[in-house]
Amino acid sequence: MIVFDCGHFIRLGIRHRRLQTLFLSELIDIRHCSAPAYGRLWTAMHVASVYDALPRLPELETVAELKRKAAEPDNVPPPRGAVRLHEQRKIVLVTQELIASTPAIALFFQFDGLDSPAPVLFPSSTQPNPAYAPKDYISVVLEKRLGRGAVGEVFRAVIQPDGSSKKPRYCPFVVKMATTTSRIQRLRHEYKVYEHLNKVNVAEIPTVFPMWVDHWDEL
């Protein structure tokens, strides 16, 4: 129930929830209304509001329960969903730190029938080095092609475990790859834009990692 009130005149709005439609009354002059009288009209509005709320009583009780739990002391254990979300955020942070700190990645192609027996090494554009020891890089598997566009191709990537007894958990991430001169230039420009936006803490944009470059084949 919605009441549009401008002093001497009101207009009533009743929402039909199933049809998602708002029905509006004629303009009512509350000084001279007599069929029905103003008192009966106001009583009917409140009764209609109660009848509208009754079918939604379970939902209202749920909302009240959530508010009650939110007001409980902080020492109450968080719900399991909140614990899982906290763990997922920790996994994301660990993945980000690892990727951002590695000087190179060894890239395996395992999608659309491809299964490369040996990786392609991509040094970081900020830490080029002609030779790397195994401890200097991480193995990344491209396991699914997500799409392609004017800048390059996009892949779903995962970090390959290193075989240690305590294998850390990492979250999947996205790798964008350019293979032509024009696309490489556009990808470099796109990387600089996102890098700048990250530095000035712009919200709701992807987190960018270092750009890895094949210095031998310019990929």
Side-chain angles (χ1 to χ4, degrees), residues 1 14 42-56:
M1 175 72 69
I14 299 179
W42 203 253
T43 301
M45 286 193 302
H46 284 283
V47 172
S49 299
V50 172
Y51 272 101
D52 177 64
L54 285 176
R56 297 182 290 116

Side-chain angles (χ1 to χ4, degrees), residues 95-107 120-140 191 209-216:
T95 305
Q96 290 177 345
E97 291 174 0
L98 176 65
I99 297 175
S101 62
T102 187
I105 62 170
L107 208 58
V120 180
L121 192 65
F122 285 83
S124 169
S125 59
T126 59
Q127 304 178 56
N129 190 338
Y132 291 93
K135 63 179 180 62
D136 296 329
Y137 59 81
I138 59 174
S139 298
V140 174
Y191 174 78
F209 301 113
M211 177 176 285
W212 299 295
V213 180
D214 185 342
H215 294 278
W216 299 274

Side-chain angles (χ1 to χ4, degrees), residues 43-96:
T43 301
M45 286 193 302
H46 284 283
V47 172
S49 299
V50 172
Y51 272 101
D52 177 64
L54 285 176
R56 297 182 290 116
L57 187 58
E59 299 178 14
L60 297 175
E61 290 176 346
T62 300
V63 172
E65 179 67 14
L66 292 176
K67 290 183 177 179
R68 184 187 66 78
K69 290 183 177 180
E72 290 178 351
D74 294 337
N75 57 359
V76 176
R80 294 180 60 186
V83 174
R84 287 196 297 269
L85 180 60
H86 178 68
E87 292 176 350
Q88 291 171 357
R89 287 175 176 171
K90 287 176 60 178
I91 293 172
V92 170
L93 290 176
V94 170
T95 305
Q96 290 177 345

Side-chain angles (χ1 to χ4, degrees), residues 196-208:
H196 172 73
L197 294 176
N198 272 273
K199 286 181 179 179
V200 296
N201 297 320
V202 176
E204 306 300 334
I205 64 167
T207 299
V208 293

